[in-house]
Amino acid sequence: MRYVMALMMLTGSAYGIDLGVCHGEFALCAASSTTPTGKTMQVNGKTFREGMAVCPILKGISIADLSLMNGSCKAAQGKVWSLFSTVTSYPQAPTWAVTPMTVTKFVTTKESGMSNMWSFSCDKQAKKINGVSLASCYGPINESPWNGDYVPVGTESFSAAPAGALNPVGGNFPIK
């Protein structure tokens, strides 16, 4: 845990990420796949394809990039932020049963890249599934969570999404 926090702080200071600790509701998209919406979105002046991931809503302590959240952990009415957490078991698709997280490595392809949902806005869904509150989260496809740059085809990445998931939420290696 300390190593992750130190790494994030170093990364944040190198790339202008404004790290913050939030308390309360947040979406955890770490094990989600992403469906392209057909739209594009701007992140720090760069254009990316937009994707949507369905993610469970959790409560507790989470880590945010406040530079993407208007400097505040407070989400608008009916919304929640997609944030990072150190929980190791949480509800995962398709059943939304609580399942231990398993991180896997994969390589981005022309057909399936990776997506970054960290510190982007989500719409709370009205209907719970198996007692789990869900959110539709929107974020960039093939955008590095570490430096906001494009993630090219052939990049080694990681995710907690199941192997073979389309545009899994995750990050890229190496962190540059």
Side-chain angles (χ1 to χ4, degrees):
M1 170 68 176
R2 288 182 190 168
Y3 175 75
V4 171
M5 290 300 295
L7 179 62
M8 289 180 72
M9 286 180 194
L10 288 173
T11 302
S13 64
Y15 296 106
I17 295 173
D18 183 11
L19 287 178
V21 175
C22 299
H23 301 268
E25 284 189 326
F26 65 98
L28 182 61
C29 295
S32 297
S33 61
T34 303
T35 302
T37 65
K39 299 177 184 178
T40 59
M41 64 185 298
Q42 291 279 320
V43 181
N44 295 323
K46 295 181 182 178
T47 302
F48 296 90
R49 290 186 308 140
E50 180 187 75
M52 190 278 294
V54 177
C55 311
I57 297 174
L58 306 180
K59 290 181 183 175
I61 297 172
S62 55
I63 301 166
D65 177 355
L66 295 173
S67 69
L68 296 171
M69 301 166 46
N70 302 317
S72 174
C73 294
K74 184 174 170 72
Q77 183 72 23
K79 298 190 178 283
V80 66
W81 294 109
S82 173
L83 302 176
F84 174 76
S85 175
T86 59
V87 298
T88 57
S89 293
Y90 47 87
Q92 297 178 37
T95 64
W96 300 106
V98 174
T99 307
M101 174 181 66
T102 303
V103 177
T104 59
K105 289 196 301 187
F106 66 96
V107 176
T108 59
T109 66
K110 187 175 180 182
E111 295 76 31
S112 181
M114 48 92 34
S115 65
N116 175 20
M117 295 291 159
W118 185 42
S119 300
F120 289 96
S121 185
C122 308
D123 298 324
K124 291 182 179 181
Q125 295 184 0
K127 181 181 173 187
K128 289 184 179 185
I129 297 181
N130 290 336
V132 177
S133 295
L134 300 174
S136 299
C137 299
Y138 298 88
I141 294 176
N142 291 329
E143 185 250 359
S144 172
W146 316 120
N147 62 12
D149 210 352
Y150 300 100
V151 175
V153 169
T155 300
E156 188 174 63
S157 302
F158 65 93
S159 176
L166 182 63
N167 299 307
V169 175
N172 53 301
F173 288 118
I175 300 170
K176 293 182 180 180

